[in-house]
Amino acid sequence: MLCRRPLRNFIATAAKHWSQQNGVVTRRDLSVSTRCMSDTVGFIGLGNMGNHMAKNLINKGHKLLVFDVSQTATDGLRTAGAVVASCPAEVAAGAKSIVTMLPESQHVDAVYCGEKGIFSQVQDGSLLIDSSTIDPATSQGMALAAKGHNCVYVDAPVSGGVNAARDSVLTFMVGSPDESFERVKALLDCMGKNVVHCGAVGTGQAAKICNNMLLAISMIGVSETMNLGTRLGLDPKMLAKILNMSSGRCWSCDTYNPYPGVLEGVPSSNNYQGGFGTALMAKDLGLAQSAATGTKSAIPLGSLSHQIYRTMTNSGYAKKDFSSAFKFLQGEEQS
Ligand code: NAD
């Protein structure tokens, strides 16, 4: 489907205006924008999670206009059929539905509010869905800013890991105005199997922070257990099998076991490459820590696991999957 003339004119005018203001959008960039269609979805942040999510949108028939600061990341999406933009502003000029999947609050702030950010070019009526795990207060600030630009921002962090992202079976925890939820769900259904409306903007992040605190604790628990059991002479696969049919069963054990070779296709069986970085887990526990301080909630195990993942982050484990807690507890040093 080719873009209708009014939209094409609008995009061209907006891009020209932006170009004149900033003096950096080239003719080639403009032609990329004008090729985009009304049903184009923008996607920014094509890392471990985002690259799978963006590809699933393509697989479900959407045209994708993408951006990432990493060329390796954008090359992968270009090969999959996406158009690559040169900055978030260009994505905003070419797509009225945009998904962002970025590491931390500061990256979300830069992508939305930066000089070449989404808000500098966002179109009236746009839907901005942020699936990054960030501070709920940042999400609420973004939603207010979006309102000022006549568009809607919602938080929709995910649970499920990279394999769930690849297989489009993620769980989305959505904080959005009631009237926007159906539109949000229609897009997120392309990338997940559960789309849950948690309440107003920020509540998706609240649910996500709680889930990840429990995940962080359970992964350390499974790592300790697998380490102790195998040192007692138990076969790791047999131990995992018993745990998975007993009261110790949990996702960290039956779906993402940290002991290498117990499960195929998980980071522990691939030298802890890919997956969910330890530094990102430490970040999520920092968010839980702030939330607990703000609500005067006791989280002794959450606090202890925060210390453990932070120590790992400073000991060479930052980019390894968080299930490398198992290696850390074994006392293995990283270079
Ligand atoms: P990642 O680090 O693999 O990917 C982030 C991507 O964002 C990278 O490609 C990076 O280049 C890009 N980026 C950074 N700054 C940018 C900017 N200014 N403009 C454009 N692109 C930029 O992270 P991930 O594992 O994909 O996680 C993304 C988010 O999802 C995080 O908030 C994380 O906590 C959350 N999350 C991750 C998992 C997981 O299993 N990996 C699971 C659930 C939630």
Side-chain angles (χ1 to χ4, degrees):
M1 192 177 89
L2 287 173
C3 65
R4 285 172 293 138
R5 186 171 295 278
L7 175 69
R8 199 168 53 207
N9 289 347
F10 171 80
I11 292 169
T13 308
K16 190 175 166 202
H17 176 66
W18 191 81
S19 169
Q20 284 167 346
Q21 277 194 327
N22 298 281
V24 287
V25 173
T26 65
R27 273 187 185 283
R28 186 185 60 77
D29 297 328
L30 190 61
S31 69
V32 166
S33 292
T34 52
R35 280 206 304 274
C36 296
M37 289 159 271
S38 56
D39 64 349
T40 293
V41 176
F43 206 112
I44 301 174
L46 306 163
N48 289 331
M49 297 293 283
N51 90 87
H52 291 300
M53 295 162 70
K55 283 174 186 164
N56 281 327
L57 286 168
I58 293 175
N59 293 341
K60 302 280 165 49
H62 289 284
K63 303 250 180 289
L64 263 276
L65 177 58
V66 302
F67 175 70
D68 193 294
V69 287
S70 153
Q71 199 189 326
T72 314
T74 53
D75 282 350
L77 261 292
R78 186 185 277 114
T79 306
V83 175
V84 177
S86 63
C87 58
E90 192 178 314
V91 174
K96 287 189 80 169
S97 299
I98 301 173
V99 181
T100 48
M101 191 54 169
L102 298 155
E104 303 192 28
S105 298
Q106 80 238 32
H107 305 103
V108 172
D109 188 58
V111 162
Y112 281 85
C113 306
E115 195 190 341
K116 297 177 194 172
I118 290 172
F119 288 140
S120 70
Q121 278 293 299
V122 75
Q123 303 173 53
D124 276 6
S126 290
L127 175 62
L128 313 173
I129 302 177
D130 181 37
S131 284
S132 326
T133 305
I134 59 166
D135 177 15
T138 302
S139 298
Q140 287 157 354
M142 292 296 150
L144 264 183
K147 208 170 178 184
H149 289 278
N150 297 321
C151 57
V152 175
Y153 168 103
V154 307
D155 56 315
V158 305
S159 172
V162 285
N163 288 351
R166 181 197 61 205
D167 300 339
S168 53
V169 293
L170 291 166
T171 292
F172 286 91
M173 295 156 254
V174 182
S176 91
D178 290 346
E179 62 277 14
S180 304
F181 181 66
E182 279 313 307
R183 189 175 163 204
V184 173
K185 186 173 183 307
L187 202 55
L188 298 186
D189 278 341
C190 300
M191 300 178 279
K193 71 168 180 189
N194 301 308
V195 181
V196 183
H197 190 195
C198 303
V201 173
T203 56
Q205 299 296 354
K208 172 64 187 175
I209 288 168
C210 291
N211 178 75
N212 269 26
M213 184 175 78
L214 181 55
L215 172 65
I217 294 167
S218 76
M219 183 55 80
I220 292 169
V222 173
S223 296
E224 287 181 4
T225 303
M226 293 301 297
N227 192 30
L228 176 64
T230 50
R231 285 186 182 197
L232 286 170
L234 295 170
D235 173 76
K237 284 192 178 174
M238 194 266 293
L239 174 57
K241 188 175 167 186
I242 290 171
L243 295 172
N244 293 341
M245 58 177 64
S246 307
S247 45
R249 184 175 65 83
C250 62
W251 187 91
S252 295
C253 192
D254 71 6
T255 307
Y256 213 84
N257 197 288
Y259 196 104
V262 164
L263 294 174
E264 292 306 313
V266 293
S268 60
S269 295
N270 186 28
N271 196 25
Y272 303 97
Q273 303 298 317
F276 182 42
T278 296
L280 288 178
M281 179 55 98
K283 175 257 306 182
D284 289 359
L285 289 161
L287 297 174
Q289 198 69 50
S290 308
T293 304
T295 55
K296 298 186 170 56
S297 308
I299 53 162
L301 292 184
S303 298
L304 183 55
S305 63
H306 188 203
Q307 293 303 319
I308 293 172
Y309 287 107
R310 273 173 53 184
T311 307
M312 286 173 66
T313 299
N314 295 331
S315 310
Y317 286 84
K319 292 194 171 159
K320 297 243 175 217
D321 181 74
F322 78 111
S323 63
S324 60
F326 173 75
K327 286 283 170 202
F328 178 72
L329 291 171
Q330 276 193 320
E332 186 167 302
E333 294 200 357
Q334 299 296 309
S335 52

